[in-house]
Amino acid sequence: AQSVAQPEDQVNVAEGNPLTVKCTYSVSGNPYLFWYVQYPNRGLQFLLKYITGDNLVKGSYGFEAEFNKSQTSFHLKKPSALVSDSALYFCAVSYPGGYQKVTFGTGTKLQVIP
Amino acid sequence: NAGVTQTPKFRVLKTGQSMTLLCAQDMNHEYMYWYRQDPGMGLRLIHYSVGEGTTAKGEVPDGYNVSRLKKQNFLLGLESAAPSQTSVYFCASSYLLGQGYNEQFFGPGTRLTVL
């Protein structure tokens, strides 16, 4: 069975500071990893994904994530946070042959403080 | 392109009533999904479809039925609503491209309250 954990319910960061939202996963075989963002009263929007290749993945709005196989982690990062980055962030995992079924984490609320 | 649309946006039901949620996508995607989102639990997969005429159970299928008679539409039905089905429901679609796994495109959600 596949699973994903987001250990922090909320992350607070000052505007202009770097941010990290943590994610760890468990899956048999090679994982496919995703980050999505949800703004209030909206559906989820895709940010970035790791399928294979370079461990550092760059995505939308200046976000990036690093795949670490030994630590089974896929943390989301941004060098300089914006107030507009405040939202709910979801990590998700899938696997080959899974018909693109993804398992989502419980979400981390990011609050960027002006 | 409208992307993924959901109807209705809000609904209040009484226990025991039935209803159907409609999801439509205009991106010619093969895969479609229904999720429910509850506080502190993330998104949980209810049912999914890998193509027209096919459906399969997800993580929490009990109390729900689905149909995919047309490629662009995916219907979620509640035959006898229960208060435990109060939630926000999201539809999503995705496309098949080689062996890669691709992102899902989400609709705006339906907020359902069962009294």
Side-chain angles (χ1 to χ4, degrees), chain A residues 14-41:
Chain A
E15 186 177 22
N17 283 3
L19 69 88
T20 298
V21 183
K22 296 179 180 178
C23 172
T24 59
Y25 67 89
S26 174
V27 67
S28 300
N30 296 322
Y32 297 153
L33 295 157
F34 304 82
W35 276 102
Y36 289 83
V37 61
Q38 184 181 31
Y39 297 101
N41 300 313

Side-chain angles (χ1 to χ4, degrees), chain A residues 56-73:
Chain A
L56 184 64
V57 178
K58 294 186 182 296
S60 306
Y61 312 121
F63 284 94
E64 59 187 28
E66 186 167 12
F67 172 64
N68 188 317
K69 188 173 184 177
S70 62
Q71 296 186 2
T72 62
S73 66

Side-chain angles (χ1 to χ4, degrees), chain A residues 32 34 36 38 41-46 49 51 88 90 94-102 104-107, chain B residues 31 33 35 37 40-43 45 48 50 57 90 94-96 99-108 111:
Chain A
Y32 297 153
F34 304 82
Y36 289 83
Q38 184 181 31
N41 300 313
R42 302 286 294 276
L44 277 70
Q45 298 176 32
F46 170 76
K49 67 181 178 183
I51 302 298
L88 190 57
F90 289 95
S94 186
Y95 62 95
Y99 292 106
Q100 301 202 57
K101 286 192 301 178
V102 296
F104 287 85
T106 53
Chain B
Y31 297 157
Y33 311 82
Y35 295 92
Q37 183 178 27
M41 304 194 72
L43 272 74
L45 182 64
Y48 66 101
V50 300
K57 295 180 180 180
F90 288 100
S94 186
Y95 59 100
L96 181 65
Q99 295 300 313
Y101 276 63
N102 301 299
E103 66 272 22
Q104 296 184 3
F105 294 77
F106 283 81
R111 188 173 296 274

Side-chain angles (χ1 to χ4, degrees), chain A residues 68-112:
Chain A
N68 188 317
K69 188 173 184 177
S70 62
Q71 296 186 2
T72 62
S73 66
F74 190 57
H75 300 331
L76 181 70
K77 300 182 180 183
K78 188 174 182 181
S80 179
L82 301 172
V83 172
S84 57
D85 293 330
S86 299
L88 190 57
Y89 290 81
F90 289 95
C91 182
V93 65
S94 186
Y95 62 95
Y99 292 106
Q100 301 202 57
K101 286 192 301 178
V102 296
T103 297
F104 287 85
T106 53
T108 298
K109 183 178 180 180
L110 174 66
Q111 190 74 37
V112 180

Side-chain angles (χ1 to χ4, degrees), chain A residues 38 41-45, chain B residues 2-7 9 22-25 27 32-35 37 43 88-93 104-110:
Chain A
Q38 184 181 31
N41 300 313
R42 302 286 294 276
L44 277 70
Q45 298 176 32
Chain B
V4 179
T5 58
Q6 293 183 233
T7 309
K9 289 184 170 52
L22 172 63
C23 176
Q25 52 97 0
M27 297 173 284
M32 296 187 74
Y33 311 82
W34 275 107
Y35 295 92
Q37 183 178 27
L43 272 74
V88 181
Y89 291 86
F90 288 100
C91 176
S93 70
Q104 296 184 3
F105 294 77
F106 283 81
T110 295

